[in-house]
Amino acid sequence: MKTPGFSATRAGALLGALTLVATLLTTPAAQAAAVEIEILSGRADSVSGGNALVSITGAGDGARITAAGVDVTEGFAPRAGALVGLVEDLPLGVSEIEVFESGADVASLEVVNHPLTGPVFSGPQHPMYCTASGAPWNLGALDADCHAQAAVVTYRYRTTAGGFADYPADGTRPADLATATIDRVQVPYIVRIERGTINRAVYEVALLHEPGAPLPTPWADAPGWNRKLAYTFGGACGVGYWQGTSTGGVENHSLLSRGYAVASSTLNVYATNCNDVTSAETAMMVKEHVIEAYGPVRFTMGSGGSAGTMQQLLLSNNYPGILDGVLGEIGYPDERSTTQAGHDCRGLQNFWGSPAGAGWTDAQKTAVTGQAVPFTCVGFTFFDGVDDPNRGCAPAIPAGDRWSPTNPDGLRCTISDMVQNVYGTDEEGRGLRAIPDNMGLQYGLGALDNGDIDVEQFLALNENIGGMDVDGNRTPERSEASLAAIRRAYETGRINMMTGGLEHIPVLEIRGYSDPRGDFHERYRSAIIRERMLAAHGDAGTHVNWTSPEGAVNNIMREEAIDYLDDWLEAIEAAGGAADRARTVAARPDGLVDGCFDTSGAFVAETLDYDDASSTCNTLYPYHSEPRAVAGEGLMRDVLKCELAAPVRADYPVLTDAQWDRLRAAFPEGVCDWTKPGQGAAELVGTWLDFGDTTPVQLDGPAITGDAQVGATLSATAASATPGAELTYQWLADGQPISGAVSPSLEVAPSLLGSELTVRVTAAADGFVTRTAVSAASAAVRDAPGPPPTPTPTPDPTGSPDPSDPDDSWAVVRVSPRTVEQGGSVSVEVTGLRAGQTIGATVFSDPIVVAGIPAADGTGRTSFTVRIPADFALGAHTLEVTSAGETPIRVGLTVVAAGSLAATGAQVPWMLAFLAAALCVAGGLITVTRRRRIGSRA
């Protein structure tokens, strides 16, 4: 592309000249690789517990690292070409991790820290009944946030008989101790299990480790762990409010024997906590703890069946990066669209148990439900309890604390109330319901069309199906959900349309076929997952589905699935890590295709196709459906509330006028129009949504005023325009907090002589994220000197070094040039120091405090650069160099107008003059813009 009126030839000449000038003007530090800060333990905006494992690349040997103003350099050590350190005690809210080289801030990263007890992004926490002090956890005393102060470690081992047993407390090796081979190294099969509390959940972490041997750390590997992590999830669905008695399980031979560490928590079991937001939050925090304690993980594989798969899919889509791959089994796409079937089956079972529904055959019932056998729908009636405040509470919730008509202020144990941060509340404070809704739903329509039921049965069913109100009461009227809640369900990803992280996260989904025995983990659910994947991305390149018979073949299938997903994740890692869909699809292992295992264990490769009943896999394992599919909904099964349209008489078998009138009376507002999207349907608004306070407190400053000298008083200036904001203070000396120095002012004590001082200010306000900021450093604290003299130096147009008088001085100071333009810089070299001695420097009379001057090296030398602001006062000034206990050394400087030296040719190297002339010939113009910053650089 050409700029109008700009010759390509002249542009090439100018580009060459600019490149040469840039090369000559670029400092060695600028030519070096950029310094980068990365949080290895998670996201920078989702740090918890005050700790973060941090990696810094591109920093020099003398780099200094601070976290919220505290010097944490000593906590860093080399690892894989980077500096890695565990930063601890971060303040709550927003603060910065910074890297300094030669006193200059070369990199910074804003982090947001949250309490170890949560929340991070789930929003205000609901009540929690603490149970972790009792069996099976026995974690001791708990605080008000159900938190145990210390984790508990136990050891188990794998026996040669194929089971797990307690490892002897005295450390003696059992005779029946099995071994495992991890990365071609044989290790004793001893399992270390750590248990504690995070985010008000009980967590578990298991990995192979022999008592007394070194554990893996962020800086060192250990036998038995290949730095892969598996995170397990438990099934069912229940309303939380308690800590639970089980996790997804970490004593997992299939994973541990392959070298994985295995982690989980009680809030990752849907039977305890049917809330994918807090499940994701807890998994993220537990994974963060694993990385901080044991070091970076290569990738994280999810594992879990039923609602454990549901969680994996929701976490992966809405909070990508917690899991790198999904190993699902007998699963569902999401909770709300699945639980809808429970409400449908509740209405159907109630109808068939009533006089109006008497006399139906099993064949007629399954024609209406679409399921394999009548008992499937009976099983689904357990699902609707999570929307009934009379049935939803766990036994741990005292009866007197639960909602009832006589205790209207009690705890409402429903999904809508537990997850009200997502769905919102009504005027009475009750959670808005995204389900149930059966307005316009024509139960049994397909059965009527097929002749499996007659018109009278169809009409009686739809006249009497009824619904459930917000307090769990069965009503003759149908159920109606909140459009606001439905819209939020779509926008926030509670209805999983696979358009978020599942665009690139691989999913290997397996299913032991259980339809004939009335189990509600129907194969139909896999077809829904596939249909949504196809709708989202046009292909199923990231989704593989296998089916097998239950039993031994199913176990073989599971082991093969682990190996295949492990290969897939390794291939993604080798290609550069999780990034996009194309990389994931390209990394999919050869031979990993859809299919099924027959009863002998032989694999049949066959693309999942719900509509082809004649295929081999569909003949072996026929698909069924559910009541809404029979009522006309498509395979996406993503409609919570259908659009309505007036019924058309011609769409039904022959109806008498009386029957037609009854049908219209049963559907006064219309019947479902399945050709249109559901009411409230919306696109996912984004991933990593936060349902709590997200706006940081506004904070100006801080800055330090006053002279950094013993006996002086320094003041911190800071302000916040956020209503109700409260400021707190902490003074630091050389990056370490000064005990008791927590007021806006500081009287400089003699013990601070030679220290550089900073002040950290924290601003907090209700409804806002706390923010912490740190001032620039003061000059090194010195004894109080007399007023600096007004020098009258003679400008030195040659710029030759002029050392200070070495006879009376404790050091020799050389400054070049002594005459400098506004916006320019001077180089300072100090020799004759003691090894390790620190100095300060200030330019008077318009003070410039030079920060971050390196300590003297082994030869007693240090150097730095003073940058003169473009608006600095013209005329004579003084550079004052100080060190604790020594008399300041003063050297004169003269500041002249920008461009004046260049106009006379003084101090302009001949090469730059030549290049300037070359640029003039080329017709070019160079404008150099510098960020104004006062600091030092070696």
Side-chain angles (χ1 to χ4, degrees), residues 336-582:
R336 290 284 77 183
S337 69
T338 302
T339 300
Q340 188 85 281
H343 290 279
D344 294 332
C345 282
R346 174 68 62 186
L348 291 169
Q349 296 301 320
N350 286 352
F351 169 71
W352 287 322
S354 72
W360 285 57
T361 67
D362 284 352
Q364 290 171 327
K365 292 177 182 179
T366 56
V368 169
T369 66
Q371 294 157 342
V373 294
F375 186 75
T376 307
C377 207
V378 175
F380 264 108
T381 61
F382 292 102
F383 283 46
D384 72 336
V386 296
D387 295 312
D388 182 351
N390 302 287
R391 294 187 288 138
C393 287
I397 315 303
D401 292 351
R402 304 179 191 182
W403 177 91
S404 70
T406 59
N407 185 24
D409 295 326
L411 195 61
R412 293 176 60 88
C413 296
T414 74
I415 296 292
S416 299
D417 289 288
M418 181 176 68
V419 195
Q420 63 181 246
N421 292 342
V422 173
Y423 297 117
T425 58
D426 64 16
E427 64 279 357
E428 296 182 35
R430 300 173 300 193
L432 295 177
R433 300 194 303 173
I435 66 166
D437 191 295
N438 61 351
M439 299 296 293
L441 193 72
Q442 299 183 85
Y443 290 97
L445 179 62
L448 174 65
D449 291 340
N450 293 333
D452 297 319
I453 62 174
D454 60 32
V455 171
E456 285 299 315
Q457 287 176 307
F458 173 74
L459 290 173
L461 171 59
N462 283 286
E463 288 169 333
N464 293 281
I465 192 68
M468 187 178 83
D469 70 14
V470 69
D471 290 330
N473 302 306
R474 296 303 303 181
T475 63
E477 300 80 20
R478 293 190 175 216
S479 304
E480 188 162 11
S482 160
L483 268 176
I486 291 172
R487 188 171 297 107
R488 291 275 282 180
Y490 285 101
E491 291 175 341
T492 65
R494 313 284 71 78
I495 302 303
N496 191 356
M497 303 307 296
M498 319 286 176
T499 55
L502 285 172
E503 179 185 21
H504 69 270
I505 293 175
V507 178
L508 179 45
E509 183 228 342
I510 63 176
R511 191 174 298 271
Y513 188 67
S514 60
D515 288 26
R517 63 180 177 86
D519 181 49
F520 43 68
H521 299 96
E522 317 108 306
R523 190 175 180 226
Y524 167 67
R525 305 296 163 179
S526 292
I528 295 172
I529 293 171
R530 171 58 56 85
E531 192 73 4
R532 293 189 188 180
M533 288 279 193
L534 292 173
H537 309 296
D539 63 70
T542 60
H543 176 227
V544 176
N545 172 261
W546 291 348
T547 306
S548 78
E550 295 185 288
V553 175
N554 185 65
N555 295 333
I556 294 170
M557 176 176 67
R558 185 182 303 112
E559 295 298 320
E560 288 194 22
I562 294 173
D563 286 337
Y564 262 116
L565 185 55
D566 182 80
D567 289 345
W568 201 348
L569 293 173
E570 283 194 342
I572 293 171
E573 177 189 39
D580 55 34
R581 185 174 183 83

Side-chain angles (χ1 to χ4, degrees), residues 128-142:
M128 179 67 79
Y129 288 81
C130 307
T131 57
S133 58
W137 309 119
N138 303 312
L139 295 181
L142 306 174

Side-chain angles (χ1 to χ4, degrees), residues 121-397:
F121 51 73
S122 64
Q125 292 178 320
H126 57 62
M128 179 67 79
Y129 288 81
C130 307
T131 57
S133 58
W137 309 119
N138 303 312
L139 295 181
L142 306 174
D143 64 18
D145 291 311
C146 301
H147 182 63
Q149 291 304 308
V152 174
V153 174
T154 57
Y155 281 87
R156 302 267 285 170
Y157 75 99
R158 183 80 172 176
T159 69
T160 52
F164 285 99
D166 290 336
Y167 193 76
D170 62 6
T172 57
R173 283 195 176 190
D176 61 346
L177 172 64
T179 60
T181 301
I182 311 300
D183 291 339
R184 298 182 296 277
V185 176
Q186 190 178 78
V187 297
Y189 200 146
I190 304 171
V191 185
R192 180 186 190 269
I193 303 177
E194 173 193 337
R195 297 184 176 94
T197 53
I198 287 175
N199 202 30
R200 308 193 301 175
V202 177
Y203 74 87
E204 296 184 294
V205 179
L207 75 165
L208 298 189
H209 173 257
E210 186 170 10
L215 281 164
T217 72
W219 304 275
D221 295 335
W225 185 36
N226 56 18
R227 294 206 172 272
K228 300 175 183 178
L229 176 65
Y231 204 99
T232 63
F233 298 85
C237 186
V239 179
Y241 305 141
W242 70 302
Q243 288 187 288
T245 56
S246 65
T247 70
V250 298
E251 203 172 86
N252 186 310
H253 171 65
S254 296
L255 297 167
L256 290 168
S257 65
R258 287 171 166 84
Y260 279 77
V262 187
S264 189
S265 89
T266 53
L267 294 190
N268 299 118
V269 177
Y270 253 21
T272 300
N273 174 57
C274 202
N275 178 352
D276 69 280
V277 180
T278 50
S279 174
E281 180 178 72
T282 308
M284 179 203 73
M285 296 170 73
V286 172
K287 179 178 175 179
E288 177 188 21
H289 166 70
V290 170
I291 295 171
E292 290 166 358
Y294 306 116
V297 300
R298 294 172 57 187
F299 50 74
T300 303
M301 177 191 295
S303 177
S306 185
T309 299
M310 182 189 294
Q311 290 178 77
Q312 291 184 70
L313 293 172
L314 286 164
L315 266 65
S316 296
N317 201 56
N318 298 321
Y319 295 95
I322 298 173
L323 301 178
D324 297 298
V326 171
L327 179 62
E329 188 167 358
I330 59 172
Y332 310 89
D334 58 54
E335 184 273 321
R336 290 284 77 183
S337 69
T338 302
T339 300
Q340 188 85 281
H343 290 279
D344 294 332
C345 282
R346 174 68 62 186
L348 291 169
Q349 296 301 320
N350 286 352
F351 169 71
W352 287 322
S354 72
W360 285 57
T361 67
D362 284 352
Q364 290 171 327
K365 292 177 182 179
T366 56
V368 169
T369 66
Q371 294 157 342
V373 294
F375 186 75
T376 307
C377 207
V378 175
F380 264 108
T381 61
F382 292 102
F383 283 46
D384 72 336
V386 296
D387 295 312
D388 182 351
N390 302 287
R391 294 187 288 138
C393 287
I397 315 303

Side-chain angles (χ1 to χ4, degrees), residues 828-849:
V828 182
E829 180 188 58
V830 183
T831 57
L833 301 169
R834 300 184 304 276
Q837 185 175 352
T838 59
I839 64 171
T842 305
V843 177
F844 293 96
S845 54
D846 185 3
I848 300 175
V849 177

